C-alpha cells in the first residue's frame, strides 16, 4: 500500500490568526508541506487543478516542479489533470519535464473533472464532455508510448509524425485514470489497462466495490495482468490527537464549503448528522485520531478488494490519497 496527500493549493484561513494568507505566503506554506511529507516518508503528493479564485493550482506541473527541487524520494502527481480541457501533447511535455527534474518521480492522474470552469475558459463545449476526454486520452497514451505520432481527431489538429519531446526519465510515464461513480469510466480504465484512481467524496466506501470489480473484470477480459490493475482511492481527511477533536475542528469548514457548493448546484445545506455518518466506520471521510484513521484506511483497502492473510496471499495493489484540509476552510474536490 502507498499513502499520500493531495492539495488544491487553496487559500486557507489560518487557525492561529483567523486571516487568509497572501498567494505568496500560501504557496510557500504548500511547498513546505510537500517537503515535510517527503521527510516523514509519505509515498506520494498530488496537486489538483482548478481555475477559481480560491485556488492556486491552475498550473499544477509548475508547483510540482518547484516541489521536485526540494524533495528527494516522494512521488509527485496531478490529482487530477482535467484532460478534456487541455492539450494532451502539452500535458505530456510538462510532466515529462517534471519527470526529468524529479529524476523519475512524476505521475499523472487524468480525468474529465467535476469542476467545469476550465471548459468555457479554454473554449470547449460541455456537450462534448465525454467525447473530448476519450479522444484526448487516446492521444495522450499514444504520445506517451511513441516519440513520433501520426494521429487525427475531431477536437485537435492532426499529428503527422512530429516528434514529441522531451521524453521522461522513466521508461513509461505512469498515467492513472481518475473516476467518480460512472460504471463506463471504470470499464474504460480496465479495457485500457490503466491504474484506477477512485474519488470517493461521500457515501460508504464499500459500495464502490462492485465498480472496482467491474474494472478488474474489464481488464481481465482485455488481457491485462492483474498486477497492472492497480486501484487508488482519494478521500477527504483530517487527523488530530483525538477523534473528537478532529471532528470538532474539521466540521465547521467542511459544512461551510460543501454547503456553498451545494447551493451552487441547487442542493441542500450540510447537516451535522450527515457529517457524523460520513466520518463513521463505513463513511468515506478519514477524519479522526491517527489510530482511527489508520484502522479506517485498512478497512477501505479491504472493502475495495485488497486483503491481508497468509504469506501466500496476494495483496492487491492499492494507493490511498487523502486530501488534507485546514479545519477552517476545507474545499470540495474537483
Amino acid at each position: 500500500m502507498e499513502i499520500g496527500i493531495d492539495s488544491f493549493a487553496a487559500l486557507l484561513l489560518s487557525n492561529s490568526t483567523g486571516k487568509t494568507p497572501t498567494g505568496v505566503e500560501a504557496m510557500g506554506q504548500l511547498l513546505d508541506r510537500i517537503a515535510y511529507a517527503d521527510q516523514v516518508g509519505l509515498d506520494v503528493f498530488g496537486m489538483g487543478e482548478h481555475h477559481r479564485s480560491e485556488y492556486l493550482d491552475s498550473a499544477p506541473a509548475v508547483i510540482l516542479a518547484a516541489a521536485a527541487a526540494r524533495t528527494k524520494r516522494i512521488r509527485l502527481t496531478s490529482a487530477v489533470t482535467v484532460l478534456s480541457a487541455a492539450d494532451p501533447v502539452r500535458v505530456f511535455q510538462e510532466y515529462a519535464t517534471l519527470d526529468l527534474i524529479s529524476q523519475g518521480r512524476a505521475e499523472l492522474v487524468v480525468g474529465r473533472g467535476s469542476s467545469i470552469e476550465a471548459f468555457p475558459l479554454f473554449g470547449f463545449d460541455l456537450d462534448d464532455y465525454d467525447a473530448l476526454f476519450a479522444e484526448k486520452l487516446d492521444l495522450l497514451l499514444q504520445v506517451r508510448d511513441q516519440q513520433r505520432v501520426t494521429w487525427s481527431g475531431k477536437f485537435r489538429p492532426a499529428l503527422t509524425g512530429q516528434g514529441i519531446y522531451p521524453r521522461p526519465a522513466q521508461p513509461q510515464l505512469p498515467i492513472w485514470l481518475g473516476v467518480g461513480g460512472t460504471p463506463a469510466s471504470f470499464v474504460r480504465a480496465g479495457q485500457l489497462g490503466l491504474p484506477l484512481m477512485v474519488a470517493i467524496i461521500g457515501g460508504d466506501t464499500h459500495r464502490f466495490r462492485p465498480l472496482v470489480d467491474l474494472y478488474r473484470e474489464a481488464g481481465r477480459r482485455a488481457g491485462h495482468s492483474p498486477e497492472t490493475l492497480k486501484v487508488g482511492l482519494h478521500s477527504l481527511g483530517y487527523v488530530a490527537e483525538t477523534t473528537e477533536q478532529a471532528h470538532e475542528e474539521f466540521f465547521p469548514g467542511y459544512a461551510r464549503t460543501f454547503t456553498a457548493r451545494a447551493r451552487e448546484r441547487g442542493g441542500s445545506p450540510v447537516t451535522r448528522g450527515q457529517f457524523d455518518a460520513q466520518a463513521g466506520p463505513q463513511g468515506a471521510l478519514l477524519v479522526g485520531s491517527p489510530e482511527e484513521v489508520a484502522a479506517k484506511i485498512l478497512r477501505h483497502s479491504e472493502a475495495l478488494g485488497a486483503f491481508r492473510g497468509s504469506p501466500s496471499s496476494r495483496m492487491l495493489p492499492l494507493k490511498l490519497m487523502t486530501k488534507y484540509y485546514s479545519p477552517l476552510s476545507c474545499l470540495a474536490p474537483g
Side-chain angles (χ1 to χ4, degrees), residues 19-76:
K19 297 180 180 179
T20 301
T22 67
V24 170
E25 292 169 339
M27 190 64 73
Q29 293 166 7
L30 171 62
L31 293 174
D32 287 343
R33 289 196 292 272
I34 301 175
Y36 187 68
D38 183 52
Q39 293 171 17
V40 300
L42 288 177
D43 296 295
V44 59
F45 201 102
M47 189 60 54
E49 179 190 338
H50 298 83
H51 303 270
R52 298 171 63 110
S53 61
E54 65 266 37
Y55 303 106
L56 301 174
D57 61 353
S58 64
V62 178
I63 300 173
L64 294 173
R70 296 184 54 178
T71 56
K72 296 180 179 179
R73 189 196 58 82
I74 196 168
R75 297 189 65 79
L76 302 166

Side-chain angles (χ1 to χ4, degrees), residues 1 293-303 306 308 315 320:
M1 181 184 293
V293 170
K296 199 168 186 181
I297 287 172
L298 291 177
R299 290 198 298 273
H300 282 342
S301 176
E302 293 172 355
R308 293 172 290 169
M315 181 72 166
L320 186 124

Side-chain angles (χ1 to χ4, degrees), residues 44-319:
V44 59
F45 201 102
M47 189 60 54
E49 179 190 338
H50 298 83
H51 303 270
R52 298 171 63 110
S53 61
E54 65 266 37
Y55 303 106
L56 301 174
D57 61 353
S58 64
V62 178
I63 300 173
L64 294 173
R70 296 184 54 178
T71 56
K72 296 180 179 179
R73 189 196 58 82
I74 196 168
R75 297 189 65 79
L76 302 166
T77 184
S78 63
V80 300
T81 294
V82 184
L83 188 62
S84 302
D87 182 346
V89 173
R90 197 64 178 139
V91 168
F92 176 81
Q93 290 175 324
E94 290 171 351
Y95 281 84
T97 302
L98 171 63
D99 204 47
L100 296 175
I101 295 170
S102 65
Q103 300 180 31
R105 293 185 282 128
E107 297 184 0
L108 266 165
V109 181
V110 299
R112 296 181 297 180
S114 64
S115 294
I116 61 174
E117 66 273 359
F119 288 81
L121 181 63
F122 296 111
F124 295 103
D125 191 335
L126 273 172
D127 290 339
D128 298 322
Y129 186 74
D130 189 66
L132 279 164
F133 181 73
E135 178 176 297
K136 292 187 175 188
L137 178 60
D138 174 66
L139 177 54
L140 178 64
L141 295 177
Q142 289 196 44
V143 169
R144 179 189 68 171
D145 296 337
Q146 305 171 39
Q147 290 190 29
R148 295 186 176 275
V149 175
T150 298
W151 176 93
S152 64
K154 177 181 178 181
F155 301 106
R156 187 198 187 282
L159 293 173
T160 56
Q162 293 94 329
I164 311 299
Y165 306 109
R167 307 308 295 181
Q170 297 174 85
Q172 187 180 68
L173 188 67
I175 296 176
W176 295 66
L177 189 60
V179 300
T182 305
S185 297
F186 287 78
V187 171
R188 173 158 48 200
Q191 291 173 337
L192 293 172
L194 295 175
L196 181 76
M197 189 63 72
V198 189
I200 304 182
I201 302 169
D204 293 344
T205 300
H206 71 271
R207 293 184 179 178
F208 284 77
R209 174 64 183 272
L211 293 173
V212 172
D213 290 343
L214 188 64
Y215 159 70
R216 291 192 170 114
E217 177 61 19
R220 185 192 67 80
R221 289 180 177 273
H224 299 294
S225 167
E227 285 71 25
T228 68
L229 301 175
K230 301 178 182 179
V231 176
L233 169 64
H234 283 202
S235 294
L236 304 177
Y238 181 73
V239 180
E241 290 188 9
T242 68
T243 295
E244 181 180 5
Q245 178 186 349
H247 288 193
E248 294 306 313
E249 291 180 346
F250 188 71
F251 174 71
Y254 173 88
R256 181 168 55 251
T257 301
F258 277 84
T259 294
R261 294 294 180 269
R263 286 172 177 163
E264 289 180 3
R265 302 175 183 183
S268 303
V270 173
T271 68
R272 181 59 190 253
Q274 292 169 335
F275 169 80
D276 289 340
Q278 290 299 303
Q282 303 301 321
L285 295 181
L286 294 169
V287 179
S289 67
E291 295 78 13
E292 170 58 26
V293 170
K296 199 168 186 181
I297 287 172
L298 291 177
R299 290 198 298 273
H300 282 342
S301 176
E302 293 172 355
L304 294 181
F307 58 90
R308 293 172 290 169
S310 66
S312 62
S313 297
R314 179 169 56 85
M315 181 72 166
L316 296 175
L318 179 85
K319 176 179 289 189

